[in-house]
Amino acid sequence: MADILVYVPGIGKPAAEVLTLARTLGDVSAIAFDDRAADAAAEYGAAKVYRVSADGADDYFIDPKATVLIDLARKVGPAAFLLPGSDEGKALAARVAIGLDNGLLTDVSGIDAEGTATQDIFAGATVATSKITKGFNLATVKPGAVATEPAPSEPVVEAVEVTVAEADKRVRIAVRVDEPAGDRPGLAEADVVVSGGRGVGSSEDFALIERVADALGGAVGASRAATDAGYYPHKFQVGQTGTTVSPQLYLAAGISGAIQHRAGMQTSRVIVAVNKDADAPIFGMSDFGVVGDLFQVLPQMLEEAEKRG
Amino acid sequence: MNIVVLVKQVPDSGLARQLDAGLRVDRSGANNVMGELDEYAVEAALQLKEAHGGEVTILTLGPDQATETIRKTLAMGADKAIHVCDEAVAGSDALATSKILAAALGRLEWDLLIAGAESTDSGMGVMPHLLAGRLGVPALTGARSIEPDGEGVKVEHQRDNGYDVLTAPLPAIASVWDTINTPRYPSLKGIMAAKRKPVETLTLGDLGIDAAEVGGEAATTEVLTATDRPERSAGQIVTDEGEGGRALAGFLAAEKFI
Ligand SMILES: Cc1cc2nc3c(=O)[nH]c(=O)nc-3n(C[C@H](O)[C@H](O)[C@H](O)COP(=O)(O)OP(=O)(O)OC[C@H]3O[C@@H](n4cnc5c(N)ncnc54)[C@H](O)[C@@H]3O)c2cc1C
Ligand SMILES: Nc1ncnc2c1ncn2[C@@H]1O[C@H](COP(=O)(O)O)[C@@H](O)[C@H]1O
């Protein structure tokens, strides 16, 4: 079978997505820079793991990893090379494209063994199929687009020892600041996302959105109008310039449904909206909607849920 | 600090957009605007110039009508612009675009290049790293702040669960998200001044690039088909007359979410 290279990030869902898709194309050789990534490769069916140790690589941005990926791609000559559609994945894919003068597709939601890929374009309004006509099938996978499925394997592990070149040490990661995730599930990983928009009106009132999220075991999201107004931190923004989510349930409260917001949530399985404007575009894509004041509707919903609970 | 800002003209993302008969982004409409994140890149450059001196040059690759976007950047306060405009560019893929932009950048003296984190049409989010790869210049992408750092530059690189402070020597490439600033509107005075600012138009020949290396024929990717996504149809919409919350709970229970 064809060799499929995969860059596996050390974080759960994106790793699982890219590995699950890669498995359908051929024998997967995973590139792992840490143990978490190597474990994910074994959990999701890789035949081989390149376990890279590059002393000090973690202190620098993109370049050390890019060099390793370019070298491995050149050595392996894969049929396809898939990376997650994160900022890091796209940056690495761009470096590989330049390094090997190879075509590149970004944000594919699927790709077959012939290399025909599907892509959502124009914030998801259009679905395109496309392919690479020069080189191997180099693509980044859109977050949330692949239904993940474990397939434990016992991959052959090949250790790759690398010395980071001086030229790759120019962009230093001087400080890492992790903001505490809290008790709720991560936005991109959650099965339920409850988002508030400008209609929530204040940061205090976002407590209601949090209560609904907690009652449904979900994550809290926000529209850009809400994050811009300071009602909720920016990292919770859903949409084109925020996180793309694809949960089982997306509940939008006080959100009009602008195209840039829809870009980040329209592939959710069930969409529910509460908005006092019957003409809000969000209703056009909702499976269930309540035209009404979110401060009436949501507390009553919570009360009723508790009764049923 | 001399700064070049990469600006692309795109169809307005708030309106309906489509591919043309040749499966390329339809740019014929009147609704073309500056790449929405590129406005933040221009603003970031202007703020750096205002605080630390230097010159801001705009670089655009695009058709004739992209001059409207260039005028807007000059009206915001950029000093001059380079417009690479050549019919042979039509249909270029990201690799060819980066080759042309790299050639144009090779003719300029610059310390810092600032781009949008992604364009709002093709939205690939790869151009800064394609250029970094081609030019061998360090890239600090996805910035929510940019400031000088001694002889170099420092950015806060935005992540989902926090941020990283990145530092690098100049020249360097940065790209920005919309968290970095609030772009200014051009003032009337700015609009008047823009009319006198220099815009240099370059062809592929001026850059020493053979037309056969770029454009649709040389593209390394091909769009095969494009279909409108079936609109999600609206389901049941109820108006709250005192029972809306209970109706919502009923729906969520039927779907087994509660
Ligand atoms: C380049 C670019 C990128 C962008 N990226 C994103 C992005 O990633 N994510 C994003 O969300 N947006 C993004 N936007 C912004 C987007 O265009 C909209 O401005 C934004 O989504 C609007 O947020 P909203 O729906 O909360 O606010 P509004 O559009 O103001 O809607 C508020 C809604 O709340 C309703 N409402 C008010 N009070 C109540 C109440 N008491 N009860 C019930 N309903 C009430 C109103 O009827 C209204 O429909 C982007 C824009 C640009 C140009
Ligand atoms: N044709 C172009 N002319 C000038 N700048 C561009 C062009 N294409 C892309 N860019 C810049 O690169 C950024 C990222 O673009 P992209 O990789 O296409 O998403 C944009 O926000 C622009 O700053």
Side-chain angles (χ1 to χ4, degrees), chain B residues 5-9 35 37-38 41 59-62 94 97 101 114-128 130-131 175:
Chain B
V5 186
L6 289 182
V7 172
K8 183 184 191 186
Q9 190 181 51
L37 287 172
D38 301 354
L59 173 58
T60 290
L61 169 65
T97 301
L101 291 174
I114 308 182
E118 61 187 36
S119 56
T120 34
D121 53 352
S122 50
M124 293 183 73
V126 294
M127 197 53 60
L130 291 174
L131 290 170
S175 72

Side-chain angles (χ1 to χ4, degrees), chain A residues 5 18 21 80-85 89 93 102-108 110-111 117 119 132 136-142:
Chain A
L5 267 185
V18 71
L21 178 59
F81 190 166
L82 302 187
L83 302 94
N102 197 96
L104 166 64
L105 295 172
T106 53
D107 281 324
V108 308
I111 186 166
Q119 285 172 301
I132 286 176
F136 53 86
N137 295 317
L138 173 62
T140 66
V141 180
K142 188 180 165 75

Side-chain angles (χ1 to χ4, degrees), chain B residues 18-108:
Chain B
Q18 56 192 25
L19 297 182
D20 63 16
L23 297 179
R24 294 173 185 165
V25 175
D26 187 351
R27 303 182 189 282
S28 61
N31 53 346
N32 289 309
V33 297
M34 182 179 340
E36 281 126 331
L37 287 172
D38 301 354
E39 290 197 31
Y40 297 82
V42 174
E43 179 64 35
L46 294 174
Q47 289 185 11
L48 283 167
K49 171 189 154 158
E50 283 154 9
H52 309 285
E55 239 189 356
V56 175
T57 306
I58 303 298
L59 173 58
T60 290
L61 169 65
D64 268 342
Q65 74 248 30
T67 46
E68 296 156 24
T69 290
I70 290 174
R71 285 289 158 211
K72 179 169 179 193
T73 65
L74 297 174
M76 286 172 77
D79 298 293
K80 56 190 171 56
I82 314 280
H83 182 182
V84 183
C85 185
D86 195 311
E87 278 180 16
V89 171
S92 290
D93 61 8
L95 281 180
T97 301
S98 72
K99 180 181 283 182
I100 300 166
L101 291 174
L105 288 165
R107 293 166 42 111
L108 300 169

Side-chain angles (χ1 to χ4, degrees), chain B residues 123-182:
Chain B
M124 293 183 73
V126 294
M127 197 53 60
H129 279 282
L130 291 174
L131 290 170
R134 272 195 202 283
L135 298 167
V137 169
L140 315 86
T141 42
R144 62 176 208 183
S145 76
I146 305 179
E147 55 185 275
D149 178 46
E151 297 288 284
V153 63
K154 176 158 96 179
V155 315
E156 284 178 11
H157 164 82
Q158 188 173 307
R159 285 191 271 113
D160 283 351
N161 51 351
Y163 64 94
D164 296 330
V165 179
L166 307 178
T167 60
L170 297 174
I173 298 174
S175 72
V176 302
W177 287 114
D178 49 1
T179 37
I180 192 165
N181 55 40
T182 306

Side-chain angles (χ1 to χ4, degrees), chain A residues 197-199 223-225 237-242 254-258 260-261 274-277 280 292-295, chain B residues 36 120 178:
Chain A
R198 197 199 305 274
S223 72
R224 185 164 110 174
Q237 182 176 311
V238 171
Q240 183 176 298
T241 49
I255 292 179
S256 61
Q260 296 93 348
H261 188 78
V274 181
N275 194 306
K276 64 183 183 191
D277 175 7
D293 187 338
L294 69 94
F295 296 106
Chain B
E36 281 126 331
T120 34
D178 49 1

Side-chain angles (χ1 to χ4, degrees), chain A residues 120 127 129 133 224 268 286 300, chain B residues 178 220 224-225 229 232 235:
Chain A
D120 292 334
V127 183
T129 59
T133 54
R224 185 164 110 174
S268 306
S286 297
Q300 188 183 64
Chain B
D178 49 1
T220 58
L224 307 171
T225 60
R229 177 186 291 280
R232 276 186 87 113

